[in-house]
Amino acid sequence: MNILQIFEQIKQNTDAVVSFQEDEGPTPSIYVRSDSVLSVMTYLKEEEALDFNVLMNHTGFHETESSKLFWHLFFDVSQDESEDHHHEEIRLFWHLYSYKVEHRVTIESSVPIGKAQMDSVVSLWKSANWLEREVYDLLGVTYPGHPDLRRIMLPPDWEGHPLRKDYVAPTSYHGIDNSPSALTKSFEPKGKSK
Amino acid sequence: MTSALKTEYLTINMGPQHPSTHGVIRFILKTDGEIIYECDPDVGYLHRGIEKIAESVTWQGFVPYTDRVDYVCAMNSNLSYCMAVEKLMGMETEIPKRAEYIRVIVSELNRISSHAVAIGAADMDMGAFTPFVHFLREREHINDLLEMACGARLTYNYICIGGVHNDLPPAFLSKTAEFLDHFEIVVEQINRLISYNQIFIKRFANVAVVPPKMAIDYNLVGPNLRGSGIKFDVRKDKPYSVYSDLDFDIPIGSGRAGTLGDCYDRYMVRVEEIRESIKIIRQCLKQIPAGETKAIVKSTIKPPKGHVYFRTETPRGDTGYFLYSDGKTSPTRLKIRTGSFTGMSIIPEIARGVFIADLVAIIGSLDIVAPELDR
Amino acid sequence: MKTLYNKFESDNIVLTSLDHLVNLARANSMWYLLFSTACCGIELMQTGGPRGDLERFGSAPRAVPRTADLMLVAGTITLKMAERVKILYEQMAEPRYVISMGSCANSGGLFQSAYSVLDGVDRVIPVDIYLPGCPPRPEALLSALIDLQKKVKKEPYFRKKK
Ligand code: SF4
């Protein structure tokens, strides 16, 4: 099944707010509003004809674009307007695949940076467990419903989420000095430091 | 008499510096005597922040980093990344045929050397040191061949966006053919030495069984998935490069020494994949055309806005590169989903109830490489 | 020693300084701690393999820091790992030596700009020999070992250090 048919299926059979994004490079994706992600995922997994039995990848990134994304024009985002950083958000992606039907789909969603919260899909796919822990560790999205949400790559007492665009790397950790040496600094262009 | 004996679990720590954890991986084990009750892998001791670095280097400048993502099979990592970028730029069809064949030859050679390390390390963890040394010796031959092609022994940076950096030297093809003839015999010898050894089979068979359903649920990939009896290989099912023109089989586990999906199945899938790789390279050596080896690519590329998730089959399984481009000179987001990551995430589940010594067998059979896991 | 072999009729005496004798023994039995973190570890393995054959210089791998004389830091050290490196080093018995193998261990190398990588292992433990390269070739590692042996042979062991 190609992605357009999958999109039509979702639209007809669930009451989720979805839109189709095709001008986003070689793999078009289906945009789902953050509050209906779990219901769409459940549908995708449980529907016999779709049968997405693998979550291949889950990731996200910090979007700092000051202009609103185009789909904001279509959906009501008024509840986010009160947030400080309503223009900054974390975009999340899920890549699903089905070994039985041999088709794939990319689901996309986004959460505002001030309230980075997303439903966990661990109940559907076990592989989501570590993938969500990684997103939490590096991007700071919390997943209510995740059985064991802690940092995975970085030590538990690490501060900040490194893949956010405004992250500043620490110059020392547990008393170990990690600031760039004088020699390193001499090679750096003026006005830039770690 | 009522049992007044009070027992409690003992928590022990394994790693990060442990000779059999293949790099720096730590396990926190809760044990009941010799038996593992709970296993909590603590990863991230080699988290080098590659994904963050990607946001500040150019698209081409990231190729050397992919070498370091998975150093045991750097060519395959190069290939995955370059093909993902090519797909994003919509130039997959522009790659010259000769370049495609060279890519397949070098990455299959690298697959052999990676599987050799995987098999050898699994043997070594079981206490059989000799096969490992044999494999190191054979690996030197592959290193020599790849060094001939690109000048480096481990971190190649040979495959680039648009093709390969330079054509192969004239003697490469004949030397490769010679090596394959030699290596085919070695595989058989090593099989007789270790794979069919009763003691070895006793250690590997029926340990840490992964049923097919669990394998899919945890998204195991590559040899680990095929060890559970699922016939899926990206090279065959979603062919990229010139794999669709080549004829090869996909070995799968069949429970040949015990249960389907046990450590021995995963191990044997790798041994047989070496044979398939030899077959693939032989065909490539016959079919390789003359011609260009690099498409014309600008020195700084700016792929159009959009995202791609591209999968290729590396020795540790289906590796996916997720790229998001904003039309700038460097990626906005780059994420690497690797085989070791999912392989590691299944360990808490399958390590429950096994002996501590078998945990080493599990790690060896899943072929986990720390930097690929942590990135 | 070889020139004296089988030359004497009965028991005999050779005059040499005790330091020299002990250092000769120490330098030719540099057991190293198996501690490979990243890519350089593979080259370390290859060097230990049949072609490089580290063991012909008397260097055998040890799994436990207590019995090792030499720590070969092969690979990237992250901040999470840095404390463990220090603990491992402190567990080794004196006199102990460190070879920092590869650009990553020397200075952070390619990953210097990363948030989680330690810029050089010499920020946590003292280093005797820096070996550049990414990764260094096995020949380079062997030459580093020989250089270390030279250094060990010159050291005062019983004499007071100045
Ligand atoms: S110096 Fe290079 S080869 Fe060695 S660990 Fe660092 S990146 Fe890897």
Side-chain angles (χ1 to χ4, degrees), chain B residues 16-17 19 23-24 26 42-50 52-53 65 68 71-72 132-133 136-137 139-140 143-144 147 153-155, chain C residues 33-39 42-43 45-46 49-51 63 65 76 78 80-81 84 88 110-111 113-117 134-135 137-138:
Chain B
Q17 189 268 337
V24 278
R26 175 173 169 229
D42 183 8
V43 302
Y45 284 95
L46 200 50
H47 177 64
R48 303 192 270 196
I50 286 182
K52 182 82 175 177
I53 293 175
Y65 285 97
R68 276 105 189 147
Y71 47 71
V72 190
F132 183 61
V133 180
L136 283 184
R137 186 192 66 216
R139 204 166 178 267
E140 287 284 356
N143 281 357
D144 284 349
E147 189 177 354
R153 283 169 51 88
L154 190 70
T155 47
Chain C
L33 176 65
L34 252 189
F35 180 60
S36 55
T37 54
C39 345
I42 299 282
E43 282 300 75
M45 250 163 54
Q46 296 282 59
R51 198 182 285 181
T76 324
T78 56
K80 195 174 178 181
M81 192 69 198
R84 324 276 152 153
L88 283 173
L110 265 178
F111 304 98
S113 61
Y115 50 87
S116 60
V117 173
C134 185
R137 296 181 63 88

Side-chain angles (χ1 to χ4, degrees), chain C residues 92-113:
Chain C
M92 284 164 64
E94 296 236 27
R96 53 200 169 189
Y97 303 91
V98 176
I99 293 182
S100 144
M101 179 184 180
S103 322
C104 279
N106 292 348
S107 68
L110 265 178
F111 304 98
Q112 210 171 47
S113 61

Side-chain angles (χ1 to χ4, degrees), chain C residues 56-70:
Chain C
R56 71 191 141 132
F57 298 100
S59 261
R62 308 303 299 170
V64 189
R66 299 265 183 219
T67 56
D69 311 302
L70 167 65

Side-chain angles (χ1 to χ4, degrees), chain B residues 3 21-22 62 112 217 266 294 301 315 331:
Chain B
S3 153
T21 50
H22 298 217
F62 189 70
I112 294 177
D217 210 13
R266 289 193 283 274
K294 197 172 181 216
I301 52 172

